Amino acid sequence: MRTVGTFGEAREGRSGVVGLVPTMGYLHEGHLALIEAARKGSDTVVVSLFVNPLQFDEASDLARYPRDLDRDAALAESAGADILFAPDVAEMYPIEPVTRVRLEALTSTMEGAHRPGHFDGVATVVAKLFAGLRPDRAWFGRKDAQQLVVISRMAADLSFPVEVVGHPTLREADGLALSSRNVFLTSHEREVALSLSQGLFAAADAVADGERDGAALQRIVADRVIGAGAGLDYAELASATDVSPQERLEVPGFLAVAARVGATRLIDNVWLDPDGTADRGMRLERKSALYG
Ligand code: AMP
């Protein structure tokens, strides 16, 4: 694996189908599953690592975002990456950008409502990665459900010749969705954080038992999260195609939750189908390598 800092270097020495896995680093098994999927689904695997200032709505969140390039390089290589593209801010934004990618829909609810400007930053940086790295395929996690829909639509609207592929959420053995931000949780906060996945799984169980009412599903999640002592931002049932709020589960969708646990904001979701089935993600058998 080569670690490079410029778009030009990241385009050298590639062959066949080029697969891209964009990340903000501090890799965990969720990222590694994406890299392994890219290894199977392409000939050259490029992993990008960039903590994108444009998508952070809170300066404190950006400042404390965990970073460790040496650790990430070893993990990316072990998962099958050929090229690790780790640009600095000057490579990504050599001059103050006056061009932004802004979606006129899909971004006014959930994460878009709670994190002003977030999706403009995400769409802009992913468009730059698509333009600068020219992948044929790119893998994104279903954990960031709204982001996956936003990026798929952005790529289609702007005619990027990139196939956007979604990957199920990786979870700890007890159900907690893997997130780079989990390293901030104290052991008590980690218990509280479990309420997100527990609420979502309880809602998915209710769907399997016939529940289709959106408000009822949202209440199952909200009650569990608030009851555990987390600060709920939202629990929302949305369409999987256009993220519009759903009163009933009548089209494929996802039930998403965002909550603050101490100083850490976490998100999670389950993808639900009107036939009663759900994608709850995949569980690790042992503790994540995130904790050393
Ligand atoms: P991030 O580094 O948080 O920006 O995430 C980079 C990519 O990894 C995004 O496509 C995320 O959706 C994906 N990702 C993050 N956490 C998980 C997870 N637990 N399972 C699967 N994919 C994930």
Side-chain angles (χ1 to χ4, degrees):
M1 189 188 76
R2 291 188 291 128
T3 300
V4 300
T6 66
F7 280 114
E9 291 167 302
R11 287 194 301 266
E12 285 167 10
R14 314 184 318 183
S15 59
V17 172
V18 175
L20 172 65
V21 179
T23 81
M24 296 202 299
Y26 218 76
L27 303 181
H28 52 64
E29 287 82 351
H31 300 113
L32 302 183
L34 264 55
I35 299 170
E36 284 160 13
R39 179 75 275 159
K40 291 195 190 102
S42 44
D43 300 304
T44 303
V45 177
V46 182
V47 174
S48 68
L49 191 170
F50 182 62
V51 182
N52 174 34
L54 230 52
Q55 74 188 68
F56 282 79
D57 49 310
E58 289 179 13
S60 59
D61 189 26
L62 172 62
R64 80 170 191 151
Y65 202 84
R67 299 160 205 244
D68 188 339
L69 180 59
D70 291 343
R71 174 184 172 282
D72 285 343
L75 287 170
E77 182 165 31
S78 73
D82 297 306
I83 298 169
L84 178 63
F85 173 56
D88 57 18
V89 174
E91 173 70 11
M92 285 302 268
Y93 303 111
I95 48 172
E96 178 67 18
V98 294
T99 308
R100 299 273 164 107
V101 178
R102 176 165 300 145
L103 285 84
E104 290 179 359
L106 313 184
T107 57
S108 63
T109 58
M110 297 183 287
E111 289 305 281
H114 286 266
R115 305 185 62 187
H118 171 66
F119 283 122
D120 294 354
V122 169
T124 301
V125 80
V126 173
K128 286 170 69 73
L129 291 170
F130 285 180
L133 298 173
R134 299 174 206 163
D136 300 295
R137 297 194 180 124
W139 277 260
F140 293 87
R142 294 185 119 192
K143 161 148 187 300
D144 296 277
Q146 189 175 14
Q147 169 175 286
L148 175 58
V149 180
V150 162
I151 288 167
S152 301
R153 187 59 184 270
M154 179 277 289
D157 286 352
L158 297 182
S159 303
F160 280 111
V162 180
E163 182 192 346
V164 174
V165 187
H167 192 283
T169 299
L170 268 285
R171 302 180 176 283
E172 298 267 10
D174 59 8
L176 181 71
L178 291 171
S179 164
S180 305
R181 291 185 173 89
N182 289 354
V183 294
F184 298 134
L185 301 173
T186 64
S187 59
H188 169 69
E189 287 171 347
R190 202 188 170 291
E191 288 301 309
V192 175
L194 263 184
S195 64
L196 278 74
S197 54
Q198 286 170 349
L200 292 166
F201 297 158
D205 289 344
V207 168
D209 290 342
E211 184 63 79
R212 293 292 181 274
D213 182 59
L217 297 173
Q218 289 164 194
R219 203 172 318 117
I220 291 170
V221 178
D223 286 351
R224 186 72 72 110
V225 168
I226 294 167
L232 181 72
D233 273 358
Y234 61 81
E236 196 157 319
L237 178 66
S239 154
T241 31
D242 64 5
V243 305
S244 58
Q246 300 292 300
E247 284 181 13
R248 292 187 60 75
L249 176 61
E250 285 169 345
V251 294
F254 57 85
L255 182 60
V257 61
R260 290 176 186 272
V261 179
T264 306
R265 187 172 180 281
L266 300 173
I267 62 171
D268 196 357
N269 64 72
V270 284
W271 292 68
L272 300 170
D273 195 277
D275 72 7
T277 58
D279 172 6
R280 305 175 186 219
M282 299 150 74
R283 295 198 192 201
L284 299 178
E285 278 164 20
R286 49 185 128 82
K287 202 170 173 172
S288 166
L290 196 56
Y291 306 101

